[in-house]
Amino acid sequence: MIRFVREALSSFKQTGSIVPSSRALSRRITASINASPGPRRVLEVGAGTGSFSKAILAHLRPGDTFDAIEVNPVFCDHLLKEIIEPFQKANPEISIRVLNDLVQEANLSGEYDHIVCGLPFNNFPLHIVRLIFRVMFSNLAPNGHLSFFEYWGFRGGRYPVSGAATRRM
């Protein structure tokens, strides 16, 4: 939690929150994964410190593939060392990649049955939001499922803690 708050304060535009997503939100946003037959391909965009990743991992079965994208190198390192590596040791039959990149620049391969997104869209310019959604939809399987959320009440609340450029948007 301390790591998250420290990073949120130093890179708020990318983080978008001062606390990680709750377990309840994580369960809700990943619930559709269980409904589909395997093997499944799952992409997480904006993995942060792993709130959604933990819930995704709980749904995975042998033969599934999970790719997690996170732009913050501190979060990426935490995700890999604290969550992914221990899970991977116990579940080597599940393919997992952690990509330290922007989704629009990441080396994605194939279509995903489920895309879970935790990005703070309210912090991005509209053209970036459109680009991100274009990338996600172009990588979503025909009957795939995309889950995302909006930081409730934050659209107007971001201005007191953001810079002058954001306030002019």
Side-chain angles (χ1 to χ4, degrees):
M1 176 74 139
I2 292 171
R3 177 182 291 122
F4 188 94
V5 172
R6 184 175 37 239
E7 287 300 308
L9 293 174
S10 68
S11 58
F12 190 76
K13 187 172 183 179
Q14 292 175 340
T15 309
S17 176
I18 58 169
V19 294
S21 297
S22 70
R23 284 189 199 136
L25 176 60
S26 299
R27 282 191 303 269
R28 177 79 176 163
I29 206 162
T30 62
S32 68
I33 297 171
N34 266 352
S36 65
R40 300 158 304 176
R41 292 179 40 83
V42 180
L43 172 65
E44 180 180 12
V45 180
T49 56
S51 295
F52 294 161
S53 303
K54 291 175 190 172
I56 291 168
L57 293 173
H59 295 298
L60 298 181
R61 300 185 295 257
D64 288 346
T65 300
F66 174 41
D67 290 343
I69 299 174
E70 175 52 49
V71 70
N72 182 309
V74 173
F75 287 167
C76 215
D77 186 59
H78 168 80
L79 178 66
L80 194 58
K81 290 180 179 169
E82 302 295 323
I83 298 169
I84 301 300
E85 287 178 0
F87 180 86
Q88 191 72 82
K89 284 180 185 175
N91 301 278
E93 65 286 351
I94 297 173
S95 174
I96 302 175
R97 293 188 311 161
V98 176
L99 307 169
N100 183 203
D101 212 342
L102 297 167
V103 67
Q104 59 269 36
E105 297 175 9
N107 181 20
L108 302 176
S109 57
E111 295 179 327
Y112 294 89
D113 302 300
H114 299 274
I115 299 178
V116 174
C117 182
L119 293 178
F121 291 115
N122 286 328
N123 285 11
F124 305 148
L126 185 57
H127 74 279
I128 297 296
V129 173
R130 287 182 176 148
L131 175 60
I132 292 168
F133 271 98
R134 240 188 333 269
V135 169
M136 289 192 297
F137 281 122
S138 70
N139 285 282
L140 189 63
N143 291 316
H145 192 267
L146 170 63
S147 299
F148 64 96
F149 68 102
E150 180 176 18
Y151 290 92
W152 179 82
F154 201 74
R155 192 176 300 259
R158 71 183 173 154
Y159 296 105
V161 296
S162 57
T166 301
R167 288 190 296 269
R168 285 192 297 270
M169 288 191 333

